[in-house]
């Protein structure tokens, strides 16, 4: 009830890759916070190289004003106010730079991906960086097709500089005997 946002953007495909840009204007009503109207600008570039089944995506996000609140951040701020917590501890992104590389492997060897991101915040002097490498593929067991994913990531958190390592294994399989 206390949040509204509108997004306007355009994308163009060129022989050198696809370019896109969008602007989000948002307004949040957060008790006790004066400046809750602002803009977010996103610019992205993507290139597919069919000869080597490679996809490269670079996306740069910049929140151009301190009054911009993303919907999850505005919701979290409202929750903190309701519980008497300090709303200034909600980390709101100021800038983000993200790079993703997907490589399909030959035959049935699956897909390898690498991604990295760097984020800065309005209310935190540090920068959060994250790197992730992963692999996914399909396998067939007992007549059923399943998808699996393995990944590892390292996160360096903001001003504290704390390192967090995460490992993930996922398996997706259909339930029932029909395709649906």
């Amino acid at each position: 009830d206390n949040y509204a946002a509108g997004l306007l953007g355009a994308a163009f495909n060129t022989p050198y890759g696809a370019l896109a840009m969008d602007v989000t204007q948002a307004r949040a009503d957060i008790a006790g916070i004066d400046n809750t109207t602002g803009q977010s600008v996103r610019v992205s570039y993507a290139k597919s190289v069919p000869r080597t089944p490679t996809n490269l995506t670079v996306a740069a996000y910049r929140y151009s004003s301190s009054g911009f609140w993303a919907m999850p951040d505005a919701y979290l701020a409202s929750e903190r106010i309701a519980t008497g917590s300090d709303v200034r501890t909600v980390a709101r992104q100021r800038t983000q730079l993200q790079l993703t590389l997907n490589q399909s492997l030959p035959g049935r060897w699956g897909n390898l991906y690498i991604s990295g991101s760097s984020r800065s915040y309005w209310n935190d002097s540090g920068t959060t960086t994250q790197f992730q490498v992963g692999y996914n593929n399909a396998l067939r067991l007992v007549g059923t097709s399943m998808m699996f994913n393995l990944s590892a990531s390292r996160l360096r958190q903001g001003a504290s500089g704390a390192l967090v390592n995460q490992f993930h294994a996922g398996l997706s399989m259909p339930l029932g005997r029909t395709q649906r």
Side-chain angles (χ1 to χ4, degrees):
D1 292 337
N2 299 323
Y3 188 85
L7 183 140
L8 180 64
F12 305 95
N13 195 14
T14 73
Y16 306 105
L19 293 168
M21 181 178 170
D22 61 64
V23 178
T24 303
Q25 174 73 35
R27 179 194 52 76
D29 292 326
I30 303 169
I33 305 289
D34 294 332
N35 186 16
T36 58
T37 299
Q39 304 80 33
S40 169
V41 178
R42 177 174 56 179
V43 178
S44 63
Y45 168 79
K47 175 70 177 167
S48 177
V49 183
R51 219 176 317 155
T52 63
T54 303
N55 290 312
L56 172 70
T57 304
V58 177
Y61 304 85
R62 176 169 176 79
Y63 298 103
S64 58
S65 68
S66 62
F68 180 83
W69 286 75
M71 185 158 46
D73 297 338
Y75 179 74
L76 182 59
S78 295
E79 274 189 341
R80 289 203 177 153
I81 288 169
T83 61
S85 300
D86 188 359
V87 72
R88 292 175 300 206
T89 61
V90 176
R92 294 181 301 115
Q93 283 187 14
R94 181 176 183 169
T95 61
Q96 179 181 14
L97 176 63
Q98 185 171 358
L99 172 67
T100 304
L101 177 67
N102 287 305
Q103 178 65 54
S104 291
L105 302 174
R108 295 183 181 195
W109 285 97
N111 187 55
L112 182 66
Y113 61 91
I114 300 170
S115 67
S117 66
S118 176
R119 294 183 203 119
S120 66
Y121 302 90
W122 281 105
N123 54 342
D124 187 346
S125 60
T127 299
T128 298
T129 54
Q130 181 175 16
F131 297 96
Q132 182 178 35
V133 61
Y135 173 78
N136 53 49
N137 201 349
L139 59 97
R140 191 160 185 84
L141 289 174
V142 194
T144 302
S145 290
M146 296 183 235
M147 296 292 297
F148 71 93
N149 176 279
L150 304 169
S151 67
S153 67
R154 173 168 266 195
L155 173 72
R156 181 178 300 273
Q157 296 179 330
S160 71
L163 285 175
V164 176
N165 296 316
Q166 293 181 334
F167 301 95
H168 174 79
L171 180 66
S172 172
M173 58 187 274
L175 299 175
R177 299 208 178 267
T178 67
Q179 287 185 345
R180 296 181 184 217

